Amino acid sequence: MANWIWLKDGEIKNSYGEFYIPFNYSGGSVNIKLSVDSEYALYINGEYASSNQYSDFPHYKIYDEIDITKYLFKGNNSIAIEVWYMGEGNASYYPGRAGLWYEIYLDNKKILESDTNTLSRLSRTFENGLDKKINEELGYSYHYDANNEDDWKTGELDGFSESVASEGMIPLPRPVKRLEIRGFTNADLIKQDNSYLFDLGKEEVGYLQFKIVSPKKQRINIAFGDHIADGGVRRFMEYRDFSYEITLKEGVTEFSNYLRRIGARYLEITSDEELNVEYIGLLPCVYPLNKVKKDFGSELRNKIYDVCMRTLELCIHDHYEDCPSREQALYTMDSRNQMLAGYYAFNEFEMPRASLLLISKDNFRDDNLFPTVAPENGELCIPSFVLHYYRQLYEYAVYSKDLALIKEVMPRIKLALNTFLNNMKDGLVQTFKGKEYWNFYEWKKELKCADETETAIKFYEEPTFEAPLNCLLSMALEFMQKMCDMIGEKADYMPLKEEIDKNTFEKFYNKDKGLFVIREGKEEYSELVNAFAILCGVAKGDVAKEIAEKLASENDMIECTLSMRCFKYDALLAVDKEKYKDFILSDIDIRYKRMLDAGATSFWETELGADDINAGSLCHGWSAMPIYYYNILL
């Protein structure tokens, strides 16, 4: 049986291991099963063959199966595996033991497997242990020194020794397709003064690749980003530094990094000496999807639909991710919008299933809630986002007809739901107190729980009552009841939902205003909270109709942000679909045309775009919701 192995040098955070396997080939079909902590790149006879470890957990490890036959020739061959061990968690990585696991099959018969006889060494090109981060979500940056390159990938071995045993579970097959590497996207030089600024022409996600001629050995910086500010890529944002460093050779340096996927439109090189950049760009990493083409009888709406599909595509890799440039993280709320749009855009259920399952595997918190993103080991939780999981799980079952997933995750979601129920007082759920809870609802000052600077999270020292959390719990209870009914499990969540609805109405509804306040003791009104009130059934009959009239007209409520307008639309449709259909379509036209007119090639996190520095992603999966509304309304 294959064993997990690692370098004799031990576990070093942000380090790179190189593993070499000689292989004699005389014919037949050869496959390799491969799993690592944290990322890998596979080379056969020096030629790149595969990369991209699935984002997983130490207790839920995944392997890739790769057919390498086409790279082999009769006689002695070289199998080289480059492994990046992160060692510290980020938004798509839960840290485990450094390790490599592999099995090699000839015509479906295992002939080689990982053991301590596998030769390995610490990388000589990547700076091991570099303590420089891009941000907390993407984790470590890197420095690569091309002057230390040798031909280890083709068997010229120096400094290699036997590996040592590591630890890990027997991995499981990859639950989704592997990424496809598409043709190189070259970036055009658009400015040269103190630096070299390049434009890919559109938002892209892939592996950095370049060929640069330098008059001398020198260290350069390559920054990447969605947009340019002050004449260059906005590299620094508070503590974040969106850049990598390369030490070039004198003469020609060719470089490709298959261990790090980046999202960007612009690349910027800063150097001491003048360079000749023969080419620089990205090798696109694309999850294979079948796009459903539609004609909505409007040039504008067809364009919005296509750009929404492009946005979704850029935000699907191992799992759904919020944005490819700044975080690459799987959030419940973000992925709910992505999944719902994706059901219509791609008619595909494998990716949503795998993402929902991955979220459920995150079971390390003492309170049984889900962390902010999965897989990660962070302490922070957004309670409202946990409640959105019940909606997206139910919607997945409705669209896919797959009830097996509900059965599998039911014990886990019961535990999370009980945490909310145990935090109730006087018939309502309280907000969560402490530095591990971010009581966030959307990117508006009054609803994002930030301090006076609007940048730092504000934590509650004492619990309070807020309408949106209670509305979301009410909806979660209803979705839970429906899912139990689907799988034939006896449950009775509706009486508690009705009690919460009654108490929510009494505590938060202002009869004089005809609206629900956001939280007790403050006269603050938001479109989102009042949309939630309609959707959970707290607002009924004439109350719901009056709120809908306000939502569809000029009002003094806090406006819904781009990500949350779907709930405003849904509330209007729940009150009177025919009456508000045209309002919704027109509202989408206005807002998304504004982004297109500003040159968007993918849709933004918020309508402020690049000006929204702390939420300024210009490619964000949750913004693809027009796909859903076009399909149900046109």
Side-chain angles (χ1 to χ4, degrees):
M1 180 180 293
N3 295 304
W4 284 88
I5 57 173
W6 191 241
L7 314 175
K8 68 175 184 179
D9 305 83
E11 296 184 356
I12 304 169
K13 290 181 181 180
N14 196 21
S15 63
Y16 297 79
E18 297 170 349
F19 297 83
Y20 181 81
I21 309 160
F23 179 65
N24 189 275
Y25 177 69
S26 58
S29 177
V30 181
N31 283 38
I32 182 170
K33 294 180 179 179
L34 175 62
S35 183
V36 302
D37 190 313
S38 312
E39 292 284 354
Y40 77 88
L42 172 67
Y43 298 85
I44 311 297
N45 296 315
E47 184 177 356
Y48 167 77
S50 183
S51 58
N52 185 225
Q53 170 69 33
Y54 183 79
S55 296
D56 53 23
F57 292 98
H59 68 280
Y60 177 63
K61 287 301 296 179
I62 301 299
Y63 71 78
D64 280 344
E65 185 166 5
I66 305 132
D67 185 344
I68 62 173
T69 310
K70 67 180 181 180
Y71 301 101
L72 301 172
F73 49 76
K74 290 188 177 180
N76 295 323
N77 290 260
S78 297
I79 299 176
I81 306 171
E82 193 171 41
V83 180
W84 172 30
Y85 174 59
M86 301 182 202
E88 183 172 321
N90 60 47
S92 287
Y93 169 63
Y94 190 102
R97 295 292 304 275
L100 163 67
W101 177 98
Y102 69 83
E103 294 179 339
I104 299 175
Y105 291 79
L106 175 62
D107 293 332
N108 297 318
K109 181 181 179 181
K110 185 165 66 172
I111 57 172
L112 287 171
E113 63 186 17
S114 49
D115 59 25
T116 56
N117 293 318
T118 303
L119 298 175
S120 61
R121 75 175 184 187
L122 199 62
S123 173
R124 294 179 173 179
T125 50
F126 285 100
E127 182 177 340
N128 296 291
L130 178 67
D131 189 20
K132 174 187 175 183
K133 289 184 180 179
I134 299 170
N135 59 9
E136 292 300 320
E137 291 77 20
L138 294 175
Y140 288 113
S141 183
Y142 64 81
H143 167 230
Y144 182 91
D145 190 341
N147 296 274
N148 296 331
E149 291 173 349
D150 58 21
D151 293 322
W152 74 272
K153 294 186 182 76
T154 54
E156 294 187 21
L157 306 181
D158 179 47
F160 280 75
S161 62
E162 291 185 343
S163 300
V164 297
S166 185
E167 296 178 2
M169 65 167 281
I170 298 173
L172 304 167
R174 191 181 184 97
V176 294
K177 301 177 186 70
R178 291 195 297 118
L179 301 181
E180 295 177 354
I181 309 302
R182 302 283 171 84
F184 178 71
T185 299
N186 186 63
D188 295 325
L189 181 66
I190 58 172
K191 182 180 178 183
Q192 179 179 344
D193 43 33
N194 297 322
S195 64
Y196 302 79
L197 183 62
F198 298 87
D199 183 0
L200 289 157
K202 58 183 177 181
E203 300 290 332
E204 194 59 89
V205 183
Y207 298 131
L208 178 66
Q209 188 174 78
F210 65 71
K211 182 178 182 181
I212 297 175
V213 181
S214 173
K216 56 180 281 189
K217 174 182 174 179
Q218 63 171 315
R219 189 158 171 161
I220 65 170
N221 181 280
I222 301 179
F224 62 93
D226 286 335
H227 59 276
I228 51 180
D230 302 322
V233 170
R234 181 172 277 166
R235 171 184 166 187
F236 296 105
M237 283 178 269
E238 296 181 305
Y239 59 88
R240 294 165 281 188
D241 181 352
F242 293 90
S243 72
Y244 306 114
E245 294 182 332
I246 311 287
T247 298
L248 302 174
K249 306 173 188 176
E250 179 181 344
V252 177
T253 299
E254 295 184 75
F255 176 77
S256 302
N257 187 354
Y258 297 103
L259 296 170
R260 165 69 78 177
R261 186 175 67 246
I262 65 173
R265 173 164 178 174
Y266 299 98
L267 303 170
E268 184 175 17
I269 300 176
T270 305
S271 63
D272 293 330
E273 300 286 337
E274 188 172 347
L275 303 171
N276 176 17
V277 182
E278 293 198 9
Y279 61 80
I280 187 169
L282 298 181
L283 282 169
C285 301
V286 180
Y287 185 76
L289 294 162
N290 294 317
K291 299 178 184 178
V292 179
K293 294 292 184 182
K294 290 287 181 75
D295 184 351
F296 298 103
S298 160
E299 183 178 350
L300 173 61
R301 288 172 181 169
N302 288 343
K303 178 67 173 176
I304 291 172
Y305 179 82
D306 289 343
V307 175
C308 281
M309 281 212 296
R310 170 71 175 164
T311 304
L312 277 182
E313 183 181 39
L314 292 170
C315 296
I316 300 177
H317 292 97
D318 302 347
H319 47 62
Y320 285 99
E321 56 194 39
D322 59 335
C323 58
S325 62
R326 298 190 181 191
E327 297 192 6
Q328 299 180 6
L330 173 60
Y331 288 84
T332 54
M333 169 55 220
D334 300 54
S335 61
R336 179 267 169 177
N337 285 10
Q338 293 170 278
M339 290 176 189
L340 191 55
Y343 297 143
Y344 291 92
F346 311 125
N347 193 28
E348 186 267 345
F349 304 103
E350 191 175 63
M351 178 60 73
R353 189 187 205 282
S355 296
L356 288 165
L357 183 61
L358 187 64
I359 293 168
S360 78
K361 294 292 183 181
D362 204 329
N363 57 3
F364 294 95
R365 292 180 62 92
D366 292 337
D367 60 11
N368 293 317
L369 297 181
F370 303 130
T372 305
V373 297
E376 71 150 359
N377 66 333
E379 296 181 355
L380 194 63
C381 167
I382 302 177
S384 69
F385 277 26
V386 177
L387 293 172
H388 282 292
Y389 182 80
Y390 295 82
R391 172 187 295 275
Q392 68 183 129
L393 185 61
Y394 169 74
E395 289 173 342
Y396 166 78
V398 169
Y399 281 91
S400 69
K401 313 302 181 188
D402 172 19
L403 302 184
L405 180 62
I406 291 178
K407 293 178 182 178
E408 183 172 355
V409 306
M410 183 59 75
R412 179 70 182 87
I413 61 177
K414 283 182 178 178
L415 289 173
L417 187 59
N418 284 339
T419 299
F420 287 93
L421 303 186
N422 291 333
N423 197 41
M424 290 184 65
K425 180 182 178 182
D426 300 330
L428 290 170
V429 65
Q430 304 173 96
T431 56
F432 290 79
K433 67 174 182 177
K435 291 189 175 181
E436 64 270 35
Y437 300 106
W438 184 13
N439 292 285
F440 172 94
Y441 302 104
E442 69 164 329
W443 284 115
K444 287 289 186 179
K445 180 180 178 182
E446 299 83 352
L447 290 157
K448 67 182 180 182
C449 202
D451 64 13
E452 291 182 359
T453 68
E454 299 191 35
T455 60
I457 296 172
K458 181 174 68 178
F459 300 102
Y460 290 163
E461 296 296 332
E462 294 298 331
T464 185
F465 293 103
E466 295 180 340
L469 192 65
N470 280 278
C471 290
L472 285 167
L473 177 57
S474 170
M475 287 184 271
L477 288 166
E478 183 171 356
F479 291 129
M480 191 69 165
Q481 182 68 54
K482 289 179 178 179
M483 287 188 286
C484 287
D485 293 344
M486 283 177 164
I487 63 175
E489 182 172 317
K490 187 175 291 187
D492 194 13
Y493 291 103
M494 296 308 287
L496 179 56
K497 170 193 159 45
E498 290 166 5
E499 179 189 352
I500 291 171
D501 289 351
K502 173 178 173 293
N503 294 330
T504 299
F505 187 89
E506 291 176 354
K507 193 169 195 68
F508 300 107
Y509 184 65
N510 184 322
K511 293 182 181 179
D512 295 333
K513 194 80 171 178
L515 292 170
F516 290 81
V517 298
I518 297 173
R519 55 183 57 84
E520 64 172 341
K522 290 193 175 182
E523 290 289 311
E524 296 175 330
Y525 301 89
S526 93
E527 291 186 336
L528 179 63
V529 170
N530 283 275
F532 280 167
I534 292 173
L535 291 172
C536 74
V538 170
K540 298 182 178 72
D542 290 340
V543 172
K545 290 179 181 179
E546 183 182 356
I547 292 173
E549 289 284 353
K550 292 182 172 72
L551 288 173
S553 59
E554 292 289 330
N555 62 73
D556 57 1
M557 287 184 279
I558 299 162
E559 188 178 28
C560 275
T561 58
L562 197 63
S563 63
M564 296 293 176
R565 293 193 80 76
C566 57
F567 296 109
K568 173 176 174 174
Y569 298 156
D570 289 348
L572 293 173
L573 293 174
V575 172
D576 192 330
K577 179 176 180 179
E578 288 305 312
K579 180 176 181 179
Y580 294 113
K581 168 184 170 180
D582 290 340
F583 167 82
I584 292 168
L585 292 170
S586 176
D587 194 62
I588 291 172
D589 289 348
I590 292 168
R591 295 175 189 280
Y592 282 76
K593 183 178 183 298
R594 193 180 299 142
M595 287 186 274
L596 291 175
D597 289 345
T601 64
S602 56
F603 288 128
W604 306 342
E605 183 174 8
T606 74
E607 290 178 78
L608 287 175
D611 294 331
D612 202 340
I613 294 175
N614 290 290
S617 165
L618 298 190
C619 177
H620 212 88
W622 67 22
S623 65
M625 282 298 280
I627 292 173
Y628 170 72
Y629 293 104
Y630 286 172
N631 274 278
I632 68 169
L633 296 179
L634 292 173

